[in-house]
Amino acid sequence: MREICFDTETTGFNPYTGDRLVEIGAVEIINKKRTGKVFHKYINPERDVPESAVNVHGITNEFLADKPVFSEIAQEWIDFVGDDNLIAHNAIDFDMKFINYELKKAGYNEYDSDRFIDTLIIARNMFPGARNSLDALCKRFNIDNSARTVHGALLDAELLADVYLQLSGGDEPSINFNKTDNNIVIGGEIIFGSEKILTPRDFNISEKENQAHIEFMEKHLKTPIWLRENKKDD
């Protein structure tokens, strides 16, 4: 299963009153693991960036002057996303509105709302009454966000991916048994630190034992014990 964690930076809070995108960052996740494939673009908003927005993300008018407008990168974004779900923190009230506004303005179809997964809603349901900002969730899950001195779409998307994996019970980002400095593979067996983890063993069974197992399964699959007419009530 492929999913896209993404984040946006903007000139303000509402695309319907003139605010626009200035940055998009996205991270690919397949089967609850980050693949390392990312999408990242700065975007000329075709308007001034207010000082209040610059104070949040540090992206200035001068920096954006030679960057492409959204219509010039729209197809590249659409190709990266494909038909997969889009995951963002506060997606419903913020990121979804900006993405769909820009797509529509550029002449493309908007995304259906059911394609968006909002991690803020998930976190509020899991931790009611607690602080559920991205920074707070990073702290809760011991995810290093020390590089987040200002908001940045790609960095925030990467942090969000790690948070989302924790919220959804996916891969633990701090543990990778396939590649660590302490793991040594000898003869197909993993030596983890000083502990030896044995590889699985095969147990051969006779044809007679296998046939008996098949007959047992066929008997009980055809007439499960819970469907037998003479089953007594507990």
Coordinates of all heavy atoms in Angstrom, one line a residue, residues 4 29 38-39 53 78 93 105 121 143 146 188 215:
I4 N 1.1 9.0 0.8 CA 1.9 10.2 0.6 C 1.7 11.1 1.8 O 0.6 11.6 2.0 CB 1.6 11.0 -0.7 CG1 1.7 10.1 -1.9 CG2 2.5 12.2 -0.8 CD1 3.1 9.6 -2.2
I29 N 5.5 6.7 1.3 CA 5.4 5.5 2.3 C 4.8 4.3 1.5 O 3.8 4.5 0.9 CB 4.6 5.9 3.5 CG1 5.3 6.9 4.3 CG2 4.4 4.6 4.4 CD1 4.5 7.4 5.5
V38 N 11.0 11.4 -2.4 CA 10.3 12.7 -2.0 C 10.0 13.6 -3.1 O 10.5 13.4 -4.2 CB 11.2 13.4 -1.0 CG1 11.6 12.6 0.2 CG2 12.5 14.0 -1.6
F39 N 9.1 14.5 -2.9 CA 8.8 15.6 -3.8 C 8.9 16.9 -3.1 O 8.5 17.0 -1.9 CB 7.3 15.4 -4.3 CG 6.8 16.5 -5.2 CD1 6.9 16.3 -6.6 CD2 6.3 17.7 -4.7 CE1 6.4 17.3 -7.4 CE2 5.9 18.7 -5.5 CZ 5.9 18.5 -6.9
A53 N 3.9 35.8 7.5 CA 4.2 34.4 7.0 C 5.7 34.1 6.9 O 6.1 33.0 7.2 CB 3.5 34.3 5.6
I78 N 1.0 15.9 -9.6 CA 0.0 14.9 -9.8 C 0.6 13.5 -10.1 O 0.1 12.5 -9.6 CB -0.9 15.3 -11.0 CG1 -1.8 16.5 -10.5 CG2 -1.9 14.2 -11.4 CD1 -2.5 17.2 -11.7
D93 N -8.8 21.1 7.3 CA -9.0 22.6 7.5 C -8.0 23.4 6.8 O -8.2 24.6 6.6 CB -9.0 22.9 9.0 CG -10.3 22.4 9.7 OD1 -11.3 22.2 9.0 OD2 -10.3 22.2 10.9
K105 N -7.5 26.1 -10.0 CA -7.0 27.3 -10.6 C -6.1 27.0 -11.8 O -6.2 27.7 -12.8 CB -6.2 28.2 -9.6 CG -5.8 29.5 -10.2 CD -5.1 30.4 -9.1 CE -4.6 31.7 -9.7 NZ -5.7 32.6 -10.2
I121 N -6.6 14.9 13.5 CA -7.9 14.2 13.9 C -7.5 12.9 14.6 O -8.1 12.6 15.7 CB -8.8 14.0 12.8 CG1 -9.3 15.4 12.3 CG2 -10.0 13.2 13.2 CD1 -10.2 15.3 11.0
I143 N 10.8 11.5 18.5 CA 11.3 11.7 17.2 C 12.0 13.0 17.2 O 11.6 14.1 17.7 CB 10.1 11.8 16.2 CG1 9.4 10.5 16.1 CG2 10.6 12.3 14.8 CD1 8.0 10.5 15.4
S146 N 14.9 18.5 16.2 CA 15.7 19.6 16.5 C 16.1 20.5 15.3 O 16.4 21.7 15.5 CB 17.0 19.1 17.2 OG 17.7 18.2 16.3
G188 N 23.8 -17.2 8.0 CA 22.4 -17.0 7.9 C 21.7 -16.7 9.2 O 20.5 -16.5 9.3
E215 N -7.6 -34.3 6.5 CA -8.9 -34.9 6.8 C -9.5 -34.2 7.9 O -10.8 -33.9 7.9 CB -8.8 -36.4 7.0 CG -8.4 -37.2 5.8 CD -8.1 -38.6 6.1 OE1 -8.1 -39.0 7.3 OE2 -7.8 -39.4 5.2

